[in-house]
Amino acid sequence: MAERIGFFVPCLIDHFEPDVAIHAIEVLKFAGFVVVVPKNQTCCGQPWFNVGLPKLALPYIERFVDRFGGLELDAVVVPSGSCASFLAKHAPETAKRKPGLYKKIKELSAKIREFSDLAYGKLKDVPLAMPRPTRVFYHNSCHMSRELGVLEPPLALIDQTGGVKREEIPLPLPCCGFGGAFSTLLPFLSYRIGERKLEEIAKTGAEVVISADSGCLMHLSSIAKKRPSNVRFVHLASFLYEALPKP
Amino acid sequence: MRTRFSLLDTPSPNLQLEANLDNAIAHYFQKRALTLAEIPEYQDLVQRARKIRLDTLNGLPSHLKRFRGVLEGAGVRVIEAKSAEEARRAVFDIAKRHDVKRAVKSKSMLSEEVCLNEFLEESGIEVVETDLGELIVQLAKEKPSHILTPCIHKSQREIAELFSRVFQRDVPDEESAIAELARVFLREKFFSADMGITGVNFGVAETGTLAFVENEGNLRYCALLPRVHVALMGIERIAPDMESLGTLLTVLTLAGTGQRAGAYTTLLSPPEFGRKAPEQDRFFYLILVDNGRSGLLSDPKRRETLACIRCGACLNACVVYRHIGGHAYQAPYMGPIGAILMPGIHPKGTERLGFFSTLCGACREICPVGIDIPGQLLAVREQFFHHAARSPAKGVRYLAFLLASHIGRHPRVVSLARRLVRPMLAIPYIEHVLGWGKARDLPVPASRSFQERFWGDHTDAA
C-alpha cells in the first residue's frame, strides 16, 4: 500500500516561493506517495527558538501537533532542511516547557523526513534528466547536514540526473551566512558572507544553484540580485520536478 | 562594552583582514587534514576526551581539593583568586615581595582575561610578551585576535613593517628575518627578567603535575630562567590523572594546530617545584583563578562550556569569525568559544556575543571535546532576553520578536500581513527601514500563498 505522508509547507516557501511546494508535491506523488496537506499551517516556530525565545515557539509547535496529529501518517515531509531539523531535533525538547505537549510532538517528530531524504528512497532508480545540459552547484544547508545528517541524498539525486554536471568548491561546507535572526541582527555581515560564497560559486562556472533549504536560497538569491550575475537559484524540489520523466 | 550589534556590522568589509584570515586558516586546515588522515581513531579520541572533561567538571571540587593537597604537601604555594581583581592583586603582591622590575610572559589567555599586563605596567613593572605572535601584538599595541594565533589578523608583510618601525631598521618580509630579530630582542629580556608569568594547559590532580604545551620554547625560559615563576590556571583546567592528561594533550594539539604534539611539552611536577625552594632564592606560585567559573559550573545547562581546552579550532571553523576576526568581539576570548564563555563568566555587555553566529554547527563539529556550542549559544541568547526589560536595546528586540510571533501564529493574519507588505516594497528606500533589506534586495512575497492556491482563497479551519 502506498505510504501516506503529511506535507508541511515551510513559511518562506508558502509566502515567497509557493511554486516550490507545488513542485515538491508533484515529485512526491510521482514517487508514489499519497500526499496529505493539512489546512491552516503556520511556521514551525524555529525563528523564535533560534533567537533565544523558545517559549514563543510553543504556539507553533502546538499548531503543528494540532494540524498533523491523528492523521495516521507514515511520515511528515518537510521541504526545507532547517525546518525539518527543528521539528525533528529541537521541537520535543522545547515542548517540555508546556505540560502535555512533549508526548504529542515526540511522536510526530520521529516521523519528520526531509524532502530529498524521503524522495531519494523512491527516485534513485528513476531516469531523471534535464532538458538541456546544465552546470549546477549544490549548496548544502548546515542544519540539514550537521543536525539531520542528510548530506548524500540531494547529491545523489543531482548526480543521477542526466545532462547535469555538478560543480564543487574546495571547502564545500561553509555556511552561506543566512542564520535566520542573524541576518536581521547583523545584516551587512550576513550579506558579506553570502557574497563571498557567491564569488566562490561563480568561479565554478555553475549556472544554477540548488539547495534544499528555503532560507539559504532566499538569502543567496537576494544577494545575487545586487550583483551582475546570471545564476539561477532553484529549490531541489523544483529541479527534480523539471527533471522527472515526461509522460 | 556596549549592547550594540552594529559595531562590526558595516557596509564596507575589511578586505585585508579577510585575506589574512583566509590565508592563515587555509594553512591550518591543510595541515590538520594531513595529520588527521594518519589518525583514523581521531573521533574515538574526541569521545574519550569529551568524557574526561565532562566527568572532571562534574566532580571538580574534589579534583581541585586533591590537586591542591598534592601541591601544598610538596611545599608549593597555591593562591586562590575569586575574581580578576584578586588575580591581578596576587601577581602584583608577589612582584612587590620579590622586588620585580621586569617580567617575561608566555602566552596566557587567562592573563588577558584578568587584564594583567595593563595592571602591572601601571604599577611600574615592565611586562614583555615572549610568544612571537603575542610579542607582535604587544609591539603593535593591540590585543590578541585569536586564542592560539594572537596575530592571525596580520600578514607577514604587515609584521615586517611593524618590526621595521619599532626596531628602526629595514626588516625584510621574510619569516626568518622576523623570527631572528624577535629572538635577539627576547634573549636579552629572558636573561634580565626577575619574574616569569605563564599560563597552564592542565593541572593533574593525581600527581600535582602542571602541563604546558608550546612551539617556541619561550615558555620553558619563562618558567625556569627568572628567579620567580608565577603560573595562572583556571580552576576548570584539571586532568584527573596522567592517562587522561595524555588524551587531552593529544586532542589539544591535533585540533589546535594539526600537530601530533606541540614542539615542546613541559611537565613540571612537585619535585621540580621543590628545587625552587626559598633557601635557594627561587620561588614558584600557582594562582588558581575562578573569576566567574563557579557560576557556570553550578548551572547544569551551561557547565559544558567549561569543558573547553582552548585549542582555538572553533575560531578557525567559524564563518563569522573568519569574516570579522577576533577584535570585533571586544573580549579576551573570541569566536564561538568566546561567545559562550564570556557571557558565562562576565555577563555584563557580553550577552550580545551569543548572536555572533549563524548556528551552522561547524564549531561543534570541530571541537576536540565535542562541546555543543550551538546549544550553548542558544542558552546565551535566552540569557540575553532574560532581563530584556532592563535595557532599551534588548526590550525593543524582544518586542519585535514578540509581535512577529503573534502575527505568525495565525494563518489569516500572516496572509493579511503579506498582502500589506507587498505594495510597501515599492516605497523608495523601504529596504533601509527593514533590517534584513539594509544590505540586499528584499524578496517580494507571492501574491497568493501556496496554501491559498492549494485550498482556494477561503480556507476553512479544518
Side-chain angles (χ1 to χ4, degrees):
Chain A
M1 216 178 84
E3 284 172 69
R4 221 171 109 82
I5 56 168
F7 184 83
F8 176 82
V9 56
C11 53
L12 294 182
I13 290 177
D14 195 12
H15 296 286
F16 288 90
E17 300 287 344
D19 286 344
V20 171
I22 309 270
H23 296 155
I25 290 172
E26 289 304 318
V27 171
L28 291 165
K29 280 185 183 165
F30 176 89
F33 293 106
V34 173
V35 183
V36 179
V37 184
K39 282 184 181 179
N40 283 334
Q41 301 183 31
T42 59
C43 169
C44 62
Q46 178 183 217
W48 293 277
F49 171 78
N50 276 358
V51 84
L53 296 165
K55 274 189 194 153
L56 296 183
L58 290 174
Y60 294 89
I61 299 174
E62 280 182 291
R63 180 174 285 263
F64 177 76
V65 166
D66 176 60
R67 301 285 88 191
F68 286 84
L71 294 179
E72 289 173 22
L73 302 167
D74 296 304
V76 174
V77 67
V78 181
S80 191
S82 67
C83 314
S85 100
F86 172 72
L87 288 169
K89 300 285 173 188
H90 300 297
E93 201 52 40
T94 309
K96 284 183 179 165
R97 292 161 194 263
K98 178 130 191 166
L101 189 55
Y102 174 76
K103 202 169 160 283
K104 293 182 200 160
I105 185 69
K106 185 77 193 149
E107 202 179 312
L108 274 171
S109 245
K111 293 184 178 175
I112 295 287
R113 295 290 297 278
E114 188 279 323
F115 167 78
S116 64
D117 189 24
L118 185 71
Y120 180 60
K122 294 280 161 74
L123 295 181
K124 60 181 160 199
D125 300 319
V126 172
L128 301 169
M130 286 306 270
R132 56 187 177 77
T134 314
R135 291 166 78 182
V136 309
F137 174 85
Y138 173 71
H139 170 67
N140 177 70
S141 147
C142 300
H143 285 173
M144 187 163 143
S145 60
R146 294 208 176 92
E147 298 198 350
L148 278 184
V150 179
L151 187 54
E152 289 305 319
L155 296 178
L157 284 167
I158 292 169
D159 288 345
Q160 81 180 61
T161 304
V164 170
K165 182 168 184 290
R166 186 165 61 81
E167 307 289 349
E168 290 189 310
I169 54 179
L171 283 171
L173 285 181
C175 168
C176 65
F178 173 55
F182 175 80
S183 66
T184 66
L185 293 170
L186 299 158
F188 290 110
L189 177 57
S190 168
Y191 174 88
R192 179 64 183 150
I193 296 172
E195 185 182 35
R196 288 183 76 201
K197 179 106 196 176
L198 289 181
E199 283 167 8
E200 289 295 306
I201 294 171
K203 283 185 205 155
T204 68
E207 313 141 78
V208 177
V209 174
I210 300 172
S211 182
D213 199 303
S214 41
C216 311
L217 273 177
M218 183 191 262
H219 168 70
L220 288 173
S221 62
S222 70
I223 292 170
K225 282 188 206 153
K226 287 237 164 183
R227 297 159 45 86
S229 155
N230 297 321
V231 176
R232 282 195 303 135
F233 296 84
V234 175
H235 193 285
L236 185 73
S238 298
F239 170 81
L240 291 177
Y241 177 72
E242 210 178 330
L244 286 182
K246 299 292 174 286
Chain B
M1 268 173 280
R2 287 167 290 179
T3 310
R4 266 185 63 185
F5 291 89
S6 53
L7 223 50
L8 65 141
D9 196 41
T10 66
S12 42
N14 184 340
L15 299 179
Q16 179 71 51
L17 176 66
E18 282 179 3
N20 295 350
L21 291 169
D22 271 5
N23 283 340
I25 291 171
H27 179 74
Y28 161 82
F29 275 107
Q30 278 166 14
K31 194 167 168 191
R32 175 188 162 89
L34 282 176
T35 315
L36 288 191
E38 297 168 359
I39 306 172
E41 72 278 17
Y42 178 65
Q43 284 309 323
D44 298 336
L45 278 172
V46 167
Q47 286 313 313
R48 251 162 60 201
R50 174 176 174 77
K51 186 167 185 322
I52 291 169
R53 286 302 290 145
L54 295 182
D55 287 352
T56 306
L57 292 175
N58 288 337
L60 192 62
S62 67
H63 289 300
L64 270 173
K65 197 173 164 207
R66 187 176 184 201
F67 179 60
R68 282 195 67 159
V70 175
L71 287 172
E72 285 170 341
V76 175
R77 282 146 293 216
V78 181
I79 300 161
E80 260 181 52
K82 285 264 167 266
S83 63
E85 167 69 31
E86 281 185 32
R88 289 193 296 262
R89 177 58 60 184
V91 179
F92 176 72
D93 287 346
I94 295 165
K96 277 287 139 214
R97 192 176 314 142
H98 296 288
D99 197 24
V100 170
K101 302 276 188 300
R102 171 181 287 170
V104 279
K105 218 179 101 198
S106 177
K107 188 169 169 357
S108 154
M109 291 309 295
L110 183 52
S111 75
E112 297 289 343
E113 178 189 323
V114 303
C115 305
L116 185 62
N117 285 16
E118 294 86 337
F119 184 78
L120 290 181
E121 288 184 341
E122 277 164 24
S123 317
I125 297 163
E126 183 193 354
V127 184
V128 182
E129 295 288 352
T130 65
D131 175 275
L132 180 54
E134 198 82 23
L135 174 67
I136 289 163
V137 165
Q138 188 183 35
L139 293 176
K141 299 189 166 54
E142 292 174 356
K143 290 277 178 193
S145 73
H146 190 284
I147 286 174
L148 214 66
T149 328
C151 66
I152 194 169
H153 57 288
K154 287 193 183 302
S155 68
Q156 189 173 286
R157 186 181 51 78
E158 290 171 304
I159 295 165
E161 284 167 10
L162 169 73
F163 273 34
S164 301
R165 205 167 57 241
V166 172
F167 295 109
Q168 304 271 310
R169 71 181 75 169
D170 193 27
V171 182
D173 178 6
E174 285 163 19
E175 218 174 273
S176 57
I178 292 167
E180 176 60 16
L181 192 54
R183 199 185 70 87
V184 172
F185 171 77
L186 288 174
R187 183 80 19 156
E188 192 265 321
K189 304 287 181 191
F190 283 128
F191 285 108
S192 60
D194 311 297
M195 180 161 89
I197 304 171
T198 70
V200 175
N201 286 101
F202 298 103
V204 182
E206 183 187 30
T207 57
T209 304
L210 300 183
F212 309 87
V213 185
E214 56 165 333
N215 277 322
E216 296 166 24
N218 58 309
L219 186 141
R220 285 184 176 179
Y221 276 175
C222 288
L224 302 174
L225 280 176
R227 57 196 160 85
V228 185
H229 173 201
V230 178
L232 291 150
M233 175 180 159
I235 55 164
E236 83 282 18
R237 302 294 283 279
I238 290 276
D241 48 40
M242 292 303 273
E243 195 189 336
S244 52
L245 175 70
T247 307
L248 294 174
L249 289 179
T250 307
V251 295
L252 172 66
T253 58
L254 283 174
T257 52
Q259 290 169 290
R260 278 173 171 271
Y264 302 89
T265 302
T266 305
L267 304 181
L268 295 183
S269 295
E272 268 91 349
F273 300 138
R275 261 183 249 136
K276 288 206 171 188
E279 58 273 24
Q280 291 165 294
D281 202 24
R282 309 273 293 170
F283 301 90
F284 173 77
Y285 299 87
L286 177 66
I287 303 179
L288 282 172
V289 182
D290 186 316
N291 198 28
R293 285 163 175 74
S294 292
L296 265 178
L297 190 69
S298 62
D299 181 350
K301 269 167 67 184
R302 293 283 278 117
R303 184 177 299 161
E304 190 176 350
T305 289
L306 288 179
C308 174
I309 57 173
R310 306 286 189 273
C311 72
C314 61
L315 281 62
N316 301 337
C318 178
V319 72
V320 170
Y321 176 86
R322 281 154 72 168
H323 281 78
I324 60 175
H327 291 152
Y329 292 76
Q330 297 187 308
Y333 302 101
M334 56 293 286
I337 184 60
I340 62 172
L341 182 61
M342 287 311 302
I345 60 174
H346 185 81
K348 200 163 179 284
T350 63
E351 287 161 344
R352 73 200 167 94
L353 295 180
F355 294 92
F356 283 31
S357 165
T358 63
L359 300 179
C360 79
C363 46
R364 176 178 49 206
E365 193 171 76
I366 206 167
C367 177
V369 291
I371 299 173
D372 178 15
I373 299 177
Q376 294 290 298
L377 284 164
L378 289 174
V380 171
R381 292 177 180 194
E382 268 193 73
Q383 182 186 328
F384 175 91
F385 283 115
H386 194 64
H387 301 297
R390 291 189 198 161
S391 137
K394 287 182 180 185
V396 165
R397 290 200 158 78
Y398 174 71
L399 289 176
F401 286 115
L402 183 68
L403 177 67
S405 88
H406 277 284
I407 292 173
R409 51 181 90 155
H410 310 288
R412 282 169 207 222
V413 182
V414 180
S415 284
L416 181 66
R418 194 190 70 249
R419 286 193 201 108
L420 287 174
V421 164
R422 246 175 84 85
M424 279 168 60
L425 293 180
I427 302 169
Y429 301 108
I430 183 75
E431 65 269 25
H432 294 278
V433 181
L434 303 165
W436 208 69
K438 267 183 196 160
R440 57 200 122 183
D441 280 5
L442 287 169
V444 182
S447 56
R448 293 171 77 206
S449 74
F450 160 74
Q451 292 193 74
E452 285 163 355
R453 277 165 65 176
F454 196 82
W455 292 109
D457 277 347
H458 302 287
T459 53
D460 297 321

